[in-house]
Amino acid sequence: MSVAPEQLMEELRTLCRGRGVQTPGIDLHVGPALRQVCGIVETDGAEAVRLKLRDWVASAARAFPVEVRNAVLAPLGLHDDAQFRFLNERIEWLARQQDRGARTVRRRMDAGLQRLVEVALQPAPSSAAHVAPSELWHVKEFDALLKLDGPTPACTERRTVVADTDGVNEIAWSITIPSPTPDGAPGDLDVEVLHGVELIGHERPSPRRFLMKLRLPRPLNAGQTHQFALEVRVPRGQSMRPTYVFWPERMCESFRLRVRFDRDDLPDAVWRVEEALARDTDDLSPWPQALPLDEIGEIDVMFPHPRQGRGYGVQWTPRD
């Protein structure tokens, strides 16, 4: 079925209203044109629909100029710093950020939405090898070791990925960091490739979100696996919020997290976070599933088959 550009444009404008993509029950508010271009199927629940919308918009808008990209992300409710209840509030926020009037921002919003329509209607690639790599693979195992006993927090992240089609030669990796304090600004990250991939591109589409483009040493065919590892560090002198939560953006078969605390500065409490919804982890209130530290100050938790769009990991209360 072909997509009419006028219908897709109208559905995008409609989606901007209210809370945008963050609207509860979003699966009931997405029209047939958006369903087709985002690959949304009847069995997708609200969170799966939300993730597919977010991934498609992020991919389509990646090459847009910054002011146009933000004029798409904010009205759709996809900008981390513009999570307001109404479209008018998000427009006003964007007007302040760009030092422009609301009418100018609305024109930029329409221009950005039109660019999305143009991306959606461009001819399909003739070979699967040219399809966006992020749509062609999933995570078999994700193993994270967070080390809090060094000069600065550092996390070793190892992923084993599985190709779901032939010709996968790139991996998109992302991380979203909370601000150290509720009213603080998001910080920075140092990322180092340990093995298995080459970092060929990176960007920061919002203050909290980092995107990395990673090249594999050789293309993978369907069913083949590959492991790579990254070291993620908080820059020295920058504080870290006492939380590590994984929000799967695609299918993941297994997630394991180990945290090694400083034995001279053990936390007062540690708890397991599982099946968290957005904002559930913001206030750092202890969850019922308390985790005891072992004799060397570590915890080790497993999450088989974590669900896309839900949060999994640990949080803790520092001693002081």
Side-chain angles (χ1 to χ4, degrees), residues 19-306:
R19 291 187 179 274
V21 175
Q22 309 304 332
T23 299
I26 187 65
D27 52 319
L28 303 177
H29 300 275
V30 178
L34 270 172
R35 285 181 173 271
Q36 183 170 344
V37 300
C38 296
I40 297 169
V41 298
E42 290 297 327
T43 55
D44 285 335
E47 199 60 32
V49 169
R50 189 172 290 110
L51 285 170
K52 287 184 176 181
L53 285 167
R54 185 191 66 188
D55 289 347
W56 177 73
V57 172
S59 176
R62 188 167 295 138
F64 293 1
V66 173
E67 67 275 7
V68 178
R69 184 167 65 240
N70 287 339
V72 168
L73 297 178
L76 285 169
L78 292 172
H79 198 294
D80 290 335
D81 295 329
Q83 295 296 306
F84 303 108
R85 183 177 180 183
F86 298 113
L87 174 59
N88 283 342
E89 294 177 289
R90 298 194 293 276
I91 293 293
E92 290 171 2
W93 175 87
L94 196 56
R96 292 193 298 272
Q97 296 297 311
Q98 298 186 353
D99 194 22
R100 293 292 186 272
R103 293 176 63 183
T104 299
V105 169
R106 286 186 178 275
R107 287 196 296 270
R108 287 182 176 176
M109 179 187 80
D110 275 348
L113 296 182
Q114 185 61 47
R115 289 284 301 273
L116 288 182
V117 172
E118 293 169 0
V119 171
L121 299 182
Q122 67 183 354
S126 58
S127 169
H130 295 94
V131 177
S134 61
E135 301 174 1
L136 305 179
W137 55 275
H138 71 274
V139 179
K140 180 177 179 64
E141 296 175 348
F142 174 26
D143 191 333
L145 170 61
L146 177 61
K147 296 161 286 188
L148 301 174
D149 59 347
T152 187
C155 187
T156 303
E157 298 189 349
R158 287 187 172 85
R159 287 173 172 84
T160 300
V161 298
V162 184
D164 294 325
T165 191
D166 294 343
V168 177
N169 58 8
E170 292 179 2
I171 295 294
W173 174 86
S174 68
I175 185 171
T176 300
I177 60 171
S179 58
T181 60
D183 56 350
D188 293 312
L189 288 178
D190 293 331
V191 180
E192 177 187 359
V193 172
L194 297 181
H195 69 80
V197 291
E198 178 186 9
L199 178 61
I200 59 173
H202 62 88
E203 61 178 300
R204 192 170 183 173
S206 73
R208 295 178 54 199
R209 186 168 177 81
F210 297 78
L211 294 175
M212 309 288 171
K213 191 176 183 180
L214 308 170
R215 181 165 62 193
L216 303 179
R218 65 193 65 84
L220 299 179
N221 290 328
Q224 291 183 322
T225 64
H226 181 74
Q227 185 183 85
F228 65 93
L230 305 172
E231 184 85 355
V232 183
R233 292 181 294 272
V234 175
R236 290 199 183 200
Q238 178 180 303
S239 59
M240 173 185 172
R241 199 161 183 261
T243 181
Y244 185 103
V245 177
F246 170 47
W247 302 86
E249 297 181 348
R250 65 188 69 247
M251 187 178 81
C252 179
E253 298 180 31
S254 174
F255 169 48
R256 180 184 185 184
L257 171 62
R258 287 168 289 179
V259 182
R260 186 168 71 222
F261 292 95
D262 185 344
R263 296 182 66 179
D264 294 327
D265 189 23
L266 296 177
D268 283 338
V270 184
W271 57 93
R272 178 186 179 103
V273 174
E274 188 167 6
E275 295 278 336
L277 296 172
R279 307 296 182 186
D280 280 354
T281 59
D282 285 358
D283 60 4
L284 294 174
S285 297
W287 285 43
Q289 296 173 294
L291 296 173
L293 298 177
D294 64 20
E295 294 183 359
I296 59 174
E298 296 184 1
I299 60 97
D300 188 343
V301 289
M302 285 286 299
F303 302 94
H305 303 290

